Amino acid sequence: MNEPPEIPAWKEELDAIVGARAHGQLAAILPRLQQLDARHPNVAEIAYQLAWTCDVLGRDAEALPWYEKAVALGLPGNELAGALLGLGSTLRQLGQFERSASVLRSAQLQFPDNREFDAFLALTLHAAGQSGEALRVALDALCDTAEDPGIRAYQRAIRHAAAKL
């Protein structure tokens, strides 16, 4: 008979901390996450939650190494997508536009169905002064995802105009 997989020692504590964050206790949980990371320094999920918390608190420079660590250690698919989005967004906020675009383009290839990467790439391109390319990315995403009958009816014209940007 197969036994259920053993839950890692850190998982229950991380879940409790994330639950507290959901109740608006952002600043209070940061030290708890840091203490958990000190006890379990090579857990990608803990690093990701540290990054996310720093990010939400507006501490982009602090979030960056946590995102990098989480991605390097390896995360499950959905969390990896979130970490890459956070990493790309944080890099943009820190003015590292080329690196941000690289992370977001790589994420688009890894997660082609996650169209949020298009929006964040458009923001990065715009911030980098590449407004035409940013608008093209945004318009292509709009045409690919919109269910609006007007957008659908003019999709070909929109794509044609976007290609000329």
Side-chain angles (χ1 to χ4, degrees), residues 97-143:
F97 305 129
E98 191 172 309
R99 191 160 167 233
S100 172
S102 176
V103 166
L104 293 168
R105 284 188 170 115
S106 173
Q108 285 176 313
L109 296 174
Q110 291 178 68
F111 301 96
D113 294 332
N114 293 34
R115 300 309 298 268
E116 61 272 20
F117 292 114
D118 298 342
F120 282 82
L121 177 59
L123 289 168
T124 293
L125 293 169
H126 177 73
Q130 300 174 35
S131 296
E133 178 67 6
L135 183 56
R136 187 197 60 74
V137 168
L139 288 172
D140 281 345
L142 176 67
C143 288

Side-chain angles (χ1 to χ4, degrees), residues 143 148-161:
C143 288
D148 180 81
I151 297 295
R152 288 272 171 227
Y154 290 98
Q155 184 181 104
R156 186 172 170 178
I158 293 168
R159 287 185 190 277
H160 179 73

Side-chain angles (χ1 to χ4, degrees), residues 41-137:
N42 294 312
V43 176
E45 291 86 345
I46 296 170
Y48 176 45
Q49 293 303 324
L50 271 159
W52 194 93
T53 302
C54 289
D55 202 354
V56 171
L57 290 170
R59 299 177 179 183
D60 298 314
E62 291 177 53
L64 180 59
W66 293 116
Y67 277 128
E68 292 170 331
K69 180 179 179 180
V71 170
L73 288 172
L75 288 163
N78 193 41
E79 288 183 327
L80 177 58
L84 290 171
L85 188 67
L87 177 58
S89 179
T90 296
L91 289 165
R92 174 179 46 84
Q93 295 287 68
L94 294 172
Q96 297 182 33
F97 305 129
E98 191 172 309
R99 191 160 167 233
S100 172
S102 176
V103 166
L104 293 168
R105 284 188 170 115
S106 173
Q108 285 176 313
L109 296 174
Q110 291 178 68
F111 301 96
D113 294 332
N114 293 34
R115 300 309 298 268
E116 61 272 20
F117 292 114
D118 298 342
F120 282 82
L121 177 59
L123 289 168
T124 293
L125 293 169
H126 177 73
Q130 300 174 35
S131 296
E133 178 67 6
L135 183 56
R136 187 197 60 74
V137 168

